[in-house]
Amino acid sequence: MAEAVFHPPKRKRRVHDSYESPLPIPCGQDCGPEKDFRIFRAEMINSHVIVRGLEDMEQLYGKGYFGKGILSRSRPNFTISDPKLVAKWKDMKLDLPVITSKKYQRSVEWASELLRRQGRDESTVRSILEGYTKPLEHPRLKTTEEVALGDEPNSEVVSKSEGRADREKLSAVNGVEGKPCDLEDSSERSDGLQEGLGPEPRTPDGSGEDVAEVPAPLPYGHWDALLLPSGGQPGDSSRRAGERGPEHVLVEEAVCAGSESEAVQAEDVLPQKRLVCRRNPFRIFEYLQLSLEEAFFLVYALGCLSIYYEKEPLTIMKLWNAFTTVQPTFRTTYMAYHHFRSKGWVPKPGLKYGTDLLLYRKGPPFYHASYSVIVELVDDHFQGAPRRPLSWRSLAALSRVSVSVSKELMLCYLIKPSTMTDKDMESPECMKQIKVQEVILSRWVSSRERSDQDEL
């Protein structure tokens, strides 16, 4: 058998992330301070493991690249802000999402549709949204100037940042006198906005009308009776999700109104824009979704994650059996995941290349995947029911796909003792008896082999 040659991983050209040390492993007082070690919280929802806390999401992904943002490509950094508007108003140093009026109107339409589905009539829906979406005063800027438009009974307050008279104005229109939006105390206002329509929610004018809010976005999947009994709702978990959502947004709107706007458009002159602070009627949250292998590794190997189901933490044995019920191949894939993680690789799902795992050095932001891994569980004589029966044609196809994306195809054999029974596999302690053999499969090219022989 030819010896496999290790090829260095291919580094990415543009790297925007800084490498952080992986999550610490608790070793006791002799190995360092334990204050750096913390227990993260996740929840089992709809056969998926979801992390809701902002700090937990940042730590898990930043230190080891665990999980994936459900609304992002990888790192959970989804935002509703328009990048062009953020760049346009960057001098204002605002701490709120900036969106267009069209996008805000779309959120209002979604909220109104949600209220109609709850049986509200049109007049009720209109009154709720009018009171909820009226302009507010931005709390971080002081009012320096009041501008009246014509003879209208209502005036608008135009706020400018301190010491910068040349900046564009940030105004909040008071159609009906509204209270300043206190962002640092937004969690109190969010109490009534949890899980659709909560008990006694409050609008900015304190009228007590309830306001629509999108439930927690969750991954697609089947409803498993073992993991989610009848009557449970995917969004019934934690209040922290509502407290961290963008309750207030800045909407870019045109200054001119009515006939003045039509006159400006007739002269082909762009109307002046301003930012108006409003409450977001339809909030969408970013969560970190962990694969079953990643979640169990954090619980079993590192001991830094607690997974809750209906407000109760799940034990290691319950997780081992539950994950196996949800994903029948979990035990096999987790053994391989545990093996490669322990060797310093960052394994990720290899579904898009037709394999079980992809192995990254340091993490996906720094290097391309080096290996595409197929995992098989066999006995001492390399016999057993294969997870995926491979023919010469399918094996050649996988090899060609891996080579075309600058990866090597690896066969990872998990060798279990012949005396091991299915009952022994019901505990993660069975991994202590498992041996691992890695085989790198390379495609034989006749022309290349002949040139190598001529050189010798």
Side-chain angles (χ1 to χ4, degrees):
M1 180 180 296
E3 183 179 358
V5 179
F6 176 78
H7 298 281
K10 186 178 180 181
R11 188 175 181 87
K12 292 188 175 180
R13 296 180 179 179
R14 297 181 180 179
V15 179
H16 304 284
D17 291 9
S18 58
Y19 181 73
E20 300 182 34
S21 59
L23 289 170
I25 300 177
C27 301
Q29 297 180 356
D30 298 337
C31 297
E34 295 183 357
K35 62 181 180 180
D36 296 335
F37 180 78
R38 56 173 297 177
I39 302 296
F40 303 100
R41 179 189 175 98
E43 299 173 14
M44 193 72 183
I45 301 176
N46 195 18
S47 304
H48 297 273
V49 180
I50 301 297
V51 179
R52 296 173 179 264
L54 278 178
E55 188 174 355
D56 291 354
M57 292 164 53
E58 295 174 358
Q59 293 284 332
L60 287 175
Y61 189 86
K63 296 185 176 181
Y65 301 98
F66 293 95
K68 173 192 176 298
I70 61 173
L71 300 177
S72 305
R73 184 175 181 180
S74 53
R75 180 180 292 274
N77 55 3
F78 171 79
T79 177
I80 63 175
S81 294
D82 190 326
K84 296 182 179 179
L85 294 183
V86 172
K88 177 181 178 181
W89 299 90
K90 62 180 180 179
D91 292 338
M92 302 295 292
K93 297 181 180 180
L94 303 170
D95 55 351
L96 292 179
V98 185
I99 62 176
T100 61
S101 58
K102 183 177 181 181
K103 188 173 183 179
Y104 184 79
Q105 185 62 30
R106 189 183 304 119
S107 298
V108 175
E109 293 174 358
W110 290 344
S112 61
E113 181 64 23
L114 182 58
L115 289 172
R116 293 190 188 97
R117 292 179 182 178
Q118 296 172 353
R120 309 299 178 93
D121 54 16
E122 290 296 330
S123 59
T124 303
V125 172
R126 191 180 303 107
S127 61
I128 290 175
L129 293 180
E130 285 180 357
Y132 190 78
T133 61
K134 61 184 180 182
L136 302 170
E137 181 181 347
H138 195 281
R140 301 296 176 87
L141 300 176
K142 294 183 179 180
T143 304
T144 59
E145 182 180 2
E146 293 184 359
V147 179
L149 294 179
D151 296 329
E152 294 181 2
N154 298 330
S155 63
E156 66 175 316
V157 179
V158 181
S159 301
K160 297 190 297 183
S161 61
E162 301 176 0
R164 293 181 180 266
D166 56 338
R167 290 180 179 175
E168 295 186 67
K169 297 179 181 180
L170 176 66
S171 62
V173 180
N174 292 327
V176 179
E177 291 187 1
K179 298 180 181 180
C181 52
D182 189 359
L183 300 183
E184 298 184 2
D185 202 20
S186 62
S187 60
E188 298 182 1
R189 289 197 186 98
S190 302
D191 292 347
L193 300 179
Q194 307 306 315
E195 322 303 343
L197 293 177
E200 299 182 3
R202 298 289 175 182
T203 55
D205 57 355
S207 60
E209 296 285 354
D210 23 1
V211 180
E213 178 182 345
V214 62
L218 296 172
Y220 293 103
H222 64 279
W223 295 94
D224 197 325
L226 173 65
L227 302 174
L228 189 62
S230 59
Q233 297 295 332
D236 299 339
S237 293
S238 172
R239 289 180 48 193
R240 292 181 297 173
E243 293 176 0
R244 66 177 177 84
E247 182 180 359
H248 300 86
V249 294
L250 297 176
V251 186
E252 186 184 60
E253 299 178 354
V255 174
C256 299
S259 60
E260 294 184 5
S261 177
E262 297 176 358
V264 170
Q265 293 179 2
E267 298 177 1
D268 296 332
V269 178
L270 293 177
Q272 186 179 0
K273 299 292 184 177
R274 66 181 176 186
L275 293 181
V276 180
C277 179
R278 299 179 185 273
R279 297 186 71 181
N280 191 3
F282 197 89
R283 288 181 279 168
I284 301 177
F285 306 117
E286 171 81 292
Y287 298 139
L288 184 72
Q289 178 182 351
L290 299 174
S291 67
L292 301 184
E293 292 80 8
E294 291 172 330
F296 195 81
F297 183 83
L298 292 170
V299 175
Y300 176 74
L302 299 184
C304 63
L305 181 69
S306 293
I307 300 179
Y308 287 77
Y309 173 65
E310 291 187 345
K311 301 181 180 181
E312 294 184 3
L314 299 177
T315 63
I316 292 178
M317 291 301 300
K318 288 183 179 180
L319 288 174
W320 182 262
N321 296 326
F323 289 173
T324 305
T325 303
V326 174
Q327 180 180 320
T329 61
F330 166 74
R331 295 173 181 173
T332 303
T333 54
Y334 175 74
M335 292 178 187
Y337 182 93
H338 188 105
H339 169 73
F340 290 115
R341 264 287 183 181
S342 302
K343 295 181 69 174
W345 294 98
V346 178
K348 287 292 182 179
L351 179 62
K352 58 184 177 181
Y353 297 124
T355 57
D356 297 315
L357 297 174
L358 294 176
L359 302 184
Y360 293 86
R361 181 189 175 187
K362 296 177 67 174
F366 308 100
Y367 293 91
H368 295 280
S370 300
Y371 299 99
S372 297
V373 184
I374 296 178
V375 184
E376 289 290 351
L377 181 63
V378 297
D379 58 12
D380 294 338
H381 304 287
F382 279 82
Q383 295 180 357
R387 294 177 56 251
R388 55 165 78 195
L390 295 175
S391 62
W392 284 110
R393 179 174 296 180
S394 60
L395 196 59
L398 283 175
S399 178
R400 289 294 293 270
V401 170
S402 299
V403 172
S404 63
V405 292
S406 301
K407 295 170 179 51
E408 293 185 270
L409 181 62
M410 178 188 296
L411 304 179
C412 179
Y413 291 101
L414 305 174
I415 306 173
K416 65 177 182 178
S418 302
T419 57
M420 181 178 290
T421 61
D422 294 340
K423 187 176 182 180
D424 297 332
M425 298 283 290
E426 294 179 357
S427 172
E429 295 298 316
C430 66
M431 289 188 293
K432 297 179 179 180
Q433 307 179 44
I434 300 295
K435 297 180 180 179
V436 181
Q437 181 173 346
E438 304 162 356
V439 178
I440 297 179
L441 182 68
S442 60
R443 188 167 65 95
W444 184 77
V445 182
S446 59
S447 59
R448 184 185 306 168
E449 294 294 329
R450 283 196 296 268
S451 61
D452 294 343
Q453 290 295 331
D454 294 341
E455 292 178 1
L456 295 177

